[in-house]
Amino acid sequence: MVQGAFNRQVEVGRIVLLNTGVDAGKLAVIVEIIDHNRALVDGPTTGVSRKPFAYKDLTLTPLVVAGLPRGAGQKTVKKFLAKSEAIAKFEQSAWAKKIASRTIRAGLSDFDRFKVQKLKAQRRFAVQAKKQVA
């Protein structure tokens, strides 16, 4: 069997990150594959209502909710999500931490950015002083 480099397949149960719309940045689960361009997603624990999304507006994550039936209702999706703890696993990933730090940095005021700059300079001088001593 030939294995390709692409290993994140569009499948029922795949956790996706939404890129556009009012739900941008939220996680959802693929519940049903509509056609070659769209999938029905639902995110009962993240506040995403059940609606179709184009694949170009989704980012596939490596996480899959195993055993989720096609076209599952909101209660079933919620139960399977809680059982698999997929959302918690994503929140622990480096990808989620990078997104969180990016949103924090985007929300900084001018004075906060100035304080970050000064703290980085202090850290840089402390590292240089330790290098000179050693």
Side-chain angles (χ1 to χ4, degrees), residues 45-114:
T45 58
T46 58
V48 177
S49 61
R50 187 183 192 101
K51 57 187 150 190
F53 261 87
Y55 295 138
K56 66 182 178 120
D57 298 331
L58 303 174
T59 303
L60 302 174
T61 67
L63 302 170
V64 178
V65 178
L68 186 70
R70 286 183 65 176
Q74 195 171 28
K75 289 181 182 178
T76 307
V77 173
K78 197 174 202 176
K79 183 170 55 173
F80 272 86
L81 271 175
K83 185 175 137 188
S84 70
E85 299 175 353
I87 304 295
K89 288 177 188 173
F90 181 80
E91 295 301 327
Q92 296 300 318
S93 70
W95 187 2
K97 291 176 184 176
K98 184 192 290 188
I99 292 171
S101 68
R102 195 179 299 149
T103 56
I104 289 171
R105 290 291 295 264
L108 292 179
S109 68
D110 185 39
F111 184 60
D112 290 334
R113 284 191 294 275
F114 174 74

Side-chain angles (χ1 to χ4, degrees), residues 14-77:
R14 174 73 64 181
I15 305 290
V16 294
L17 183 67
L18 306 177
N19 296 329
T20 60
V22 294
D23 295 324
K26 293 182 182 179
L27 293 174
V29 181
I30 294 179
V31 178
E32 182 74 53
I33 297 170
I34 298 171
D35 56 22
H36 291 295
N37 295 318
R38 296 177 300 149
L40 186 66
V41 299
D42 194 6
T45 58
T46 58
V48 177
S49 61
R50 187 183 192 101
K51 57 187 150 190
F53 261 87
Y55 295 138
K56 66 182 178 120
D57 298 331
L58 303 174
T59 303
L60 302 174
T61 67
L63 302 170
V64 178
V65 178
L68 186 70
R70 286 183 65 176
Q74 195 171 28
K75 289 181 182 178
T76 307
V77 173

